[in-house]
Structures are given as C-alpha cells and as structure tokens.
Amino acid sequence: MDKSLSRYVFGQSATECLVALSLLVVILGSLSGLLVPASEDSEKLLKLSRQVVWEKVRDREKTQVSGNYRLNNYLGSVIGLIDDLVPVELEGTNLRMTKTNYIPKFGMVRLTDSWEPKHRDGLVKRPASLVINNVLSGEVMETIQDGLGRAFLAKELESDSLIFGHIDPDVVPESSIRER
C-alpha cells in the first residue's frame, strides 16, 4: 500500500472517531439533565419501597395485605381445617405489598408472620386451645384435685397450686399485640 494512501486512511479514521465521540459527548451531555434526576428519583422510590414494606407496624395508606400467593393457595385449605378443629384463628392474608398508587415503581412484597394475637384474649385462648392439659381444667377437675390434695396432704395437687392449661398473658409485652 502506498504511504500517502495509508496516511489518508489513518487521517480519515481519526477524523470519523473524533466526530463520533464529539456527537456522543454532546448527546450524553444534553441527556444528563434528564438521566441524572430520573436515576435519583428511581433510587429514592426504591429506598421508600423497601422502607415501607419492612416497617414493623404496617401503614395502611402505603401497603395492603393479600392472601393471593402460591403457598397460601395450596395450604389454605389445610390451615382452614386446623382452624375449624382448634380455634386458633390462623390468617392467610399475610402477604404485605406496597400500594401501586403510593409507590408506582418497584412494587415489593413481604411475607409476614401475622399469626400473632391481635387482642389480649388471644394471648390466652390461642395457646390454651393447643394444649392438651386445657381439657383437664374445669370445676370437676378442681374438685378432684382439692380432694386428692387434702387426702394425701399434698398442697401441690390442689387446684390453687397445680393449674392445668393455665397461660399467663402478662409475660407478653403490649407492643407485640399490635397489627403487623
């Protein structure tokens, strides 16, 4: 190849690269006014979505709960049967989702444990219904216990000392009874 021709080709290539790079810089420079704020807004929405879905106490304006997920669809009937046999009020609507009208992008979900009691009576009734000794509590059993305790001189057998199926709700702090 001729030396003058190779200089011409090299000069043509260098000129085309400089023109292309200049156009790329101009395009990116003009779009940076749009891209940088859009990227920052998206990052803020993503952080907000994470914060909202992981809040300890659910904010009803920002999130909603649902039971429409595969595990609940498969096991919901089994949990329903258990709940019919033993009244423990197990909930299937425990999928926390961000509301799309509050956070339009980056919808997040979190499977929460919503089986905690919602009121003070639930602290006693739910565990008591799962304890077999709860069947032994009642006036008839208390009379039998008091009789055995007096007959054998054993205060440990009396109904004041040996309480079948007793659950103390005062060991659970009030903050754990709220809806999550």
Short mmCIF file of all heavy atoms in Angstrom, two decimals, residues 35-74:
data_model
loop_
_atom_site.label_atom_id
_atom_site.label_comp_id
_atom_site.label_asym_id
_atom_site.label_seq_id
_atom_site.Cartn_x
_atom_site.Cartn_y
_atom_site.Cartn_z
N LEU A 35 -31.29 12.29 32.65
CA LEU A 35 -30.95 10.97 33.19
C LEU A 35 -30.59 11.00 34.67
O LEU A 35 -31.00 10.14 35.42
CB LEU A 35 -29.79 10.36 32.39
CG LEU A 35 -30.09 10.00 30.94
CD1 LEU A 35 -28.84 9.49 30.25
CD2 LEU A 35 -31.20 8.96 30.87
N VAL A 36 -29.81 11.99 35.08
CA VAL A 36 -29.38 12.05 36.48
C VAL A 36 -30.57 12.25 37.42
O VAL A 36 -30.72 11.51 38.40
CB VAL A 36 -28.29 13.14 36.66
CG1 VAL A 36 -27.99 13.37 38.13
CG2 VAL A 36 -27.03 12.75 35.91
N PRO A 37 -31.47 13.22 37.18
CA PRO A 37 -32.63 13.34 38.07
C PRO A 37 -33.55 12.11 38.04
O PRO A 37 -34.08 11.71 39.08
CB PRO A 37 -33.38 14.57 37.54
CG PRO A 37 -32.38 15.35 36.79
CD PRO A 37 -31.43 14.34 36.22
N ALA A 38 -33.72 11.49 36.87
CA ALA A 38 -34.55 10.29 36.79
C ALA A 38 -33.93 9.15 37.59
O ALA A 38 -34.63 8.41 38.28
CB ALA A 38 -34.74 9.88 35.34
N SER A 39 -32.62 9.03 37.52
CA SER A 39 -31.93 7.99 38.29
C SER A 39 -32.05 8.25 39.79
O SER A 39 -32.29 7.33 40.57
CB SER A 39 -30.46 7.95 37.88
OG SER A 39 -29.73 7.09 38.70
N GLU A 40 -31.92 9.51 40.20
CA GLU A 40 -32.06 9.84 41.63
C GLU A 40 -33.49 9.61 42.11
O GLU A 40 -33.69 9.11 43.23
CB GLU A 40 -31.64 11.29 41.85
CG GLU A 40 -30.15 11.53 41.69
CD GLU A 40 -29.76 12.99 41.76
OE1 GLU A 40 -30.67 13.86 41.80
OE2 GLU A 40 -28.55 13.27 41.76
N ASP A 41 -34.48 9.94 41.31
CA ASP A 41 -35.87 9.70 41.68
C ASP A 41 -36.16 8.20 41.82
O ASP A 41 -36.84 7.78 42.76
CB ASP A 41 -36.83 10.31 40.65
CG ASP A 41 -36.84 11.83 40.70
OD1 ASP A 41 -36.36 12.39 41.71
OD2 ASP A 41 -37.33 12.44 39.73
N SER A 42 -35.64 7.43 40.89
CA SER A 42 -35.84 5.98 40.96
C SER A 42 -35.18 5.39 42.20
O SER A 42 -35.74 4.51 42.85
CB SER A 42 -35.27 5.30 39.71
OG SER A 42 -36.02 5.66 38.58
N GLU A 43 -34.01 5.90 42.53
CA GLU A 43 -33.32 5.41 43.73
C GLU A 43 -34.10 5.75 44.99
O GLU A 43 -34.22 4.93 45.90
CB GLU A 43 -31.92 6.01 43.79
CG GLU A 43 -31.06 5.45 44.89
CD GLU A 43 -29.65 6.01 44.89
OE1 GLU A 43 -29.24 6.61 43.87
OE2 GLU A 43 -28.98 5.87 45.92
N LYS A 44 -34.68 6.96 45.04
CA LYS A 44 -35.49 7.36 46.19
C LYS A 44 -36.74 6.48 46.31
O LYS A 44 -37.12 6.07 47.40
CB LYS A 44 -35.90 8.83 46.07
CG LYS A 44 -34.79 9.80 46.33
CD LYS A 44 -35.25 11.24 46.14
CE LYS A 44 -34.10 12.21 46.25
NZ LYS A 44 -34.51 13.58 45.94
N LEU A 45 -37.39 6.19 45.18
CA LEU A 45 -38.58 5.33 45.21
C LEU A 45 -38.24 3.91 45.65
O LEU A 45 -39.00 3.28 46.38
CB LEU A 45 -39.24 5.29 43.83
CG LEU A 45 -40.15 6.47 43.49
CD1 LEU A 45 -40.64 6.36 42.05
CD2 LEU A 45 -41.32 6.55 44.44
N LEU A 46 -37.09 3.42 45.21
CA LEU A 46 -36.67 2.08 45.62
C LEU A 46 -36.42 2.02 47.12
O LEU A 46 -36.87 1.09 47.79
CB LEU A 46 -35.42 1.68 44.83
CG LEU A 46 -34.83 0.31 45.15
CD1 LEU A 46 -35.84 -0.79 44.79
CD2 LEU A 46 -33.54 0.09 44.41
N LYS A 47 -35.74 3.02 47.66
CA LYS A 47 -35.49 3.06 49.11
C LYS A 47 -36.79 3.19 49.88
O LYS A 47 -36.97 2.54 50.92
CB LYS A 47 -34.55 4.21 49.45
CG LYS A 47 -33.12 3.97 49.04
CD LYS A 47 -32.24 5.15 49.39
CE LYS A 47 -30.81 4.91 48.96
NZ LYS A 47 -29.94 6.04 49.27
N LEU A 48 -37.71 4.02 49.39
CA LEU A 48 -39.00 4.19 50.06
C LEU A 48 -39.80 2.88 50.04
O LEU A 48 -40.42 2.51 51.03
CB LEU A 48 -39.80 5.31 49.38
CG LEU A 48 -41.19 5.57 49.94
CD1 LEU A 48 -41.10 6.07 51.38
CD2 LEU A 48 -41.93 6.56 49.07
N SER A 49 -39.77 2.20 48.93
CA SER A 49 -40.49 0.93 48.81
C SER A 49 -39.95 -0.10 49.79
O SER A 49 -40.70 -0.81 50.45
CB SER A 49 -40.39 0.42 47.38
OG SER A 49 -41.14 -0.76 47.23
N ARG A 50 -38.64 -0.17 49.92
CA ARG A 50 -38.03 -1.09 50.89
C ARG A 50 -38.43 -0.72 52.31
O ARG A 50 -38.76 -1.56 53.12
CB ARG A 50 -36.51 -1.06 50.76
CG ARG A 50 -35.99 -1.77 49.56
CD ARG A 50 -34.49 -1.71 49.55
NE ARG A 50 -33.97 -2.28 48.33
CZ ARG A 50 -32.83 -1.93 47.78
NH1 ARG A 50 -32.09 -1.00 48.33
NH2 ARG A 50 -32.43 -2.50 46.67
N GLN A 51 -38.36 0.57 52.61
CA GLN A 51 -38.70 1.03 53.96
C GLN A 51 -40.15 0.72 54.30
O GLN A 51 -40.45 0.25 55.39
CB GLN A 51 -38.44 2.53 54.06
CG GLN A 51 -38.81 3.12 55.39
CD GLN A 51 -38.71 4.64 55.39
OE1 GLN A 51 -38.33 5.25 54.39
NE2 GLN A 51 -39.07 5.26 56.49
N VAL A 52 -41.04 0.99 53.36
CA VAL A 52 -42.47 0.80 53.61
C VAL A 52 -42.80 -0.67 53.83
O VAL A 52 -43.56 -1.02 54.73
CB VAL A 52 -43.29 1.37 52.42
CG1 VAL A 52 -44.70 0.86 52.42
CG2 VAL A 52 -43.27 2.88 52.47
N VAL A 53 -42.24 -1.55 53.04
CA VAL A 53 -42.60 -2.96 53.15
C VAL A 53 -41.96 -3.61 54.38
O VAL A 53 -42.46 -4.61 54.88
CB VAL A 53 -42.25 -3.72 51.84
CG1 VAL A 53 -40.81 -4.15 51.79
CG2 VAL A 53 -43.16 -4.91 51.65
N TRP A 54 -40.87 -3.03 54.91
CA TRP A 54 -40.22 -3.61 56.08
C TRP A 54 -40.52 -2.87 57.38
O TRP A 54 -39.92 -3.17 58.41
CB TRP A 54 -38.71 -3.67 55.86
CG TRP A 54 -38.35 -4.77 54.93
CD1 TRP A 54 -38.06 -4.67 53.61
CD2 TRP A 54 -38.31 -6.17 55.23
NE1 TRP A 54 -37.82 -5.91 53.07
CE2 TRP A 54 -37.96 -6.84 54.04
CE3 TRP A 54 -38.51 -6.90 56.39
CZ2 TRP A 54 -37.83 -8.23 53.99
CZ3 TRP A 54 -38.37 -8.28 56.34
CH2 TRP A 54 -38.03 -8.92 55.15
N GLU A 55 -41.44 -1.92 57.37
CA GLU A 55 -41.81 -1.26 58.62
C GLU A 55 -42.39 -2.28 59.59
O GLU A 55 -43.11 -3.20 59.18
CB GLU A 55 -42.82 -0.15 58.36
CG GLU A 55 -42.21 1.09 57.75
CD GLU A 55 -43.25 2.15 57.44
OE1 GLU A 55 -44.44 1.81 57.29
OE2 GLU A 55 -42.86 3.32 57.33
N LYS A 56 -42.10 -2.10 60.85
CA LYS A 56 -42.57 -3.07 61.85
C LYS A 56 -44.09 -3.08 61.94
O LYS A 56 -44.71 -4.12 61.93
CB LYS A 56 -41.94 -2.74 63.20
CG LYS A 56 -42.17 -3.80 64.23
CD LYS A 56 -41.32 -3.61 65.44
CE LYS A 56 -41.49 -4.78 66.36
NZ LYS A 56 -40.48 -4.87 67.36
N VAL A 57 -44.68 -1.92 62.04
CA VAL A 57 -46.13 -1.81 62.09
C VAL A 57 -46.59 -1.34 60.71
O VAL A 57 -46.10 -0.33 60.20
CB VAL A 57 -46.59 -0.84 63.19
CG1 VAL A 57 -48.10 -0.71 63.20
CG2 VAL A 57 -46.11 -1.31 64.55
N ARG A 58 -47.51 -2.04 60.12
CA ARG A 58 -47.94 -1.78 58.75
C ARG A 58 -48.70 -0.47 58.65
O ARG A 58 -49.62 -0.19 59.42
CB ARG A 58 -48.82 -2.93 58.27
CG ARG A 58 -49.24 -2.81 56.82
CD ARG A 58 -49.98 -4.03 56.37
NE ARG A 58 -51.35 -4.08 56.82
CZ ARG A 58 -52.35 -3.50 56.19
NH1 ARG A 58 -52.13 -2.82 55.10
NH2 ARG A 58 -53.57 -3.60 56.65
N ASP A 59 -48.33 0.35 57.69
CA ASP A 59 -49.04 1.59 57.40
C ASP A 59 -50.10 1.28 56.34
O ASP A 59 -49.78 0.92 55.21
CB ASP A 59 -48.06 2.64 56.88
CG ASP A 59 -48.70 4.01 56.73
OD1 ASP A 59 -49.95 4.10 56.81
OD2 ASP A 59 -47.97 4.98 56.53
N ARG A 60 -51.36 1.41 56.69
CA ARG A 60 -52.47 1.04 55.79
C ARG A 60 -52.54 1.92 54.54
O ARG A 60 -53.09 1.50 53.53
CB ARG A 60 -53.79 1.10 56.54
CG ARG A 60 -53.89 0.06 57.62
CD ARG A 60 -55.19 0.24 58.41
NE ARG A 60 -55.23 -0.62 59.54
CZ ARG A 60 -55.80 -1.82 59.54
NH1 ARG A 60 -56.34 -2.27 58.45
NH2 ARG A 60 -55.82 -2.56 60.62
N GLU A 61 -52.02 3.14 54.61
CA GLU A 61 -52.06 4.02 53.44
C GLU A 61 -51.02 3.64 52.40
O GLU A 61 -51.19 3.90 51.22
CB GLU A 61 -51.85 5.47 53.87
CG GLU A 61 -52.97 6.01 54.72
CD GLU A 61 -52.70 7.44 55.17
OE1 GLU A 61 -51.70 8.03 54.74
OE2 GLU A 61 -53.49 7.94 55.98
N LYS A 62 -49.94 3.01 52.84
CA LYS A 62 -48.84 2.71 51.94
C LYS A 62 -48.80 1.24 51.51
O LYS A 62 -48.22 0.92 50.47
CB LYS A 62 -47.51 3.06 52.61
CG LYS A 62 -47.39 4.50 53.00
CD LYS A 62 -46.14 4.75 53.79
CE LYS A 62 -46.08 6.17 54.31
NZ LYS A 62 -44.94 6.38 55.18
N THR A 63 -49.38 0.36 52.30
CA THR A 63 -49.30 -1.07 51.99
C THR A 63 -50.68 -1.71 52.10
O THR A 63 -51.58 -1.18 52.74
CB THR A 63 -48.35 -1.81 52.95
OG1 THR A 63 -48.81 -1.67 54.28
CG2 THR A 63 -46.93 -1.31 52.82
N GLN A 64 -50.80 -2.87 51.51
CA GLN A 64 -52.02 -3.67 51.62
C GLN A 64 -51.60 -5.12 51.84
O GLN A 64 -50.47 -5.49 51.56
CB GLN A 64 -52.87 -3.55 50.36
CG GLN A 64 -52.18 -4.04 49.11
CD GLN A 64 -52.95 -3.67 47.86
OE1 GLN A 64 -53.81 -2.82 47.90
NE2 GLN A 64 -52.62 -4.30 46.76
N VAL A 65 -52.50 -5.91 52.38
CA VAL A 65 -52.19 -7.32 52.60
C VAL A 65 -53.07 -8.18 51.69
O VAL A 65 -54.16 -7.79 51.30
CB VAL A 65 -52.38 -7.74 54.08
CG1 VAL A 65 -51.32 -7.14 54.95
CG2 VAL A 65 -53.76 -7.38 54.60
N SER A 66 -52.54 -9.33 51.37
CA SER A 66 -53.24 -10.23 50.46
C SER A 66 -52.95 -11.66 50.87
O SER A 66 -51.96 -11.95 51.54
CB SER A 66 -52.76 -9.98 49.03
OG SER A 66 -53.27 -10.96 48.18
N GLY A 67 -53.80 -12.56 50.44
CA GLY A 67 -53.57 -13.98 50.64
C GLY A 67 -53.38 -14.69 49.32
O GLY A 67 -53.39 -15.91 49.26
N ASN A 68 -53.18 -13.92 48.27
CA ASN A 68 -53.07 -14.49 46.94
C ASN A 68 -51.61 -14.80 46.61
O ASN A 68 -50.94 -14.05 45.91
CB ASN A 68 -53.67 -13.52 45.92
CG ASN A 68 -53.80 -14.18 44.56
OD1 ASN A 68 -53.71 -15.39 44.44
ND2 ASN A 68 -54.02 -13.36 43.55
N TYR A 69 -51.11 -15.90 47.15
CA TYR A 69 -49.79 -16.40 46.79
C TYR A 69 -49.84 -17.92 46.83
O TYR A 69 -50.72 -18.52 47.43
CB TYR A 69 -48.69 -15.84 47.69
CG TYR A 69 -48.88 -16.07 49.17
CD1 TYR A 69 -48.28 -17.14 49.81
CD2 TYR A 69 -49.66 -15.20 49.93
CE1 TYR A 69 -48.44 -17.35 51.16
CE2 TYR A 69 -49.83 -15.40 51.28
CZ TYR A 69 -49.22 -16.48 51.88
OH TYR A 69 -49.39 -16.68 53.21
N ARG A 70 -48.90 -18.55 46.14
CA ARG A 70 -48.99 -19.97 45.86
C ARG A 70 -49.06 -20.84 47.13
O ARG A 70 -49.88 -21.74 47.22
CB ARG A 70 -47.80 -20.41 45.01
CG ARG A 70 -47.99 -21.79 44.45
CD ARG A 70 -46.88 -22.25 43.57
NE ARG A 70 -46.19 -21.16 42.92
CZ ARG A 70 -45.13 -21.31 42.17
NH1 ARG A 70 -44.64 -22.49 41.96
NH2 ARG A 70 -44.53 -20.28 41.62
N LEU A 71 -48.21 -20.58 48.12
CA LEU A 71 -48.21 -21.40 49.33
C LEU A 71 -49.55 -21.31 50.05
O LEU A 71 -50.08 -22.32 50.51
CB LEU A 71 -47.08 -20.96 50.27
CG LEU A 71 -46.94 -21.78 51.54
CD1 LEU A 71 -46.54 -23.21 51.21
CD2 LEU A 71 -45.90 -21.16 52.45
N ASN A 72 -50.12 -20.13 50.12
CA ASN A 72 -51.42 -19.97 50.77
C ASN A 72 -52.52 -20.67 49.97
O ASN A 72 -53.44 -21.23 50.54
CB ASN A 72 -51.75 -18.49 50.96
CG ASN A 72 -52.98 -18.30 51.82
OD1 ASN A 72 -53.20 -19.01 52.79
ND2 ASN A 72 -53.77 -17.33 51.47
N ASN A 73 -52.43 -20.61 48.64
CA ASN A 73 -53.42 -21.29 47.82
C ASN A 73 -53.38 -22.80 48.03
O ASN A 73 -54.41 -23.47 48.04
CB ASN A 73 -53.21 -20.96 46.34
CG ASN A 73 -53.49 -19.50 46.04
OD1 ASN A 73 -54.18 -18.83 46.79
ND2 ASN A 73 -52.92 -19.01 44.97
N TYR A 74 -52.18 -23.35 48.20
CA TYR A 74 -52.05 -24.80 48.41
C TYR A 74 -52.39 -25.21 49.84
O TYR A 74 -53.05 -26.21 50.07
CB TYR A 74 -50.63 -25.27 48.09
CG TYR A 74 -50.30 -25.23 46.62
CD1 TYR A 74 -49.03 -24.89 46.19
CD2 TYR A 74 -51.25 -25.52 45.65
CE1 TYR A 74 -48.72 -24.84 44.85
CE2 TYR A 74 -50.94 -25.47 44.31
CZ TYR A 74 -49.68 -25.14 43.91
OH TYR A 74 -49.38 -25.10 42.59
#
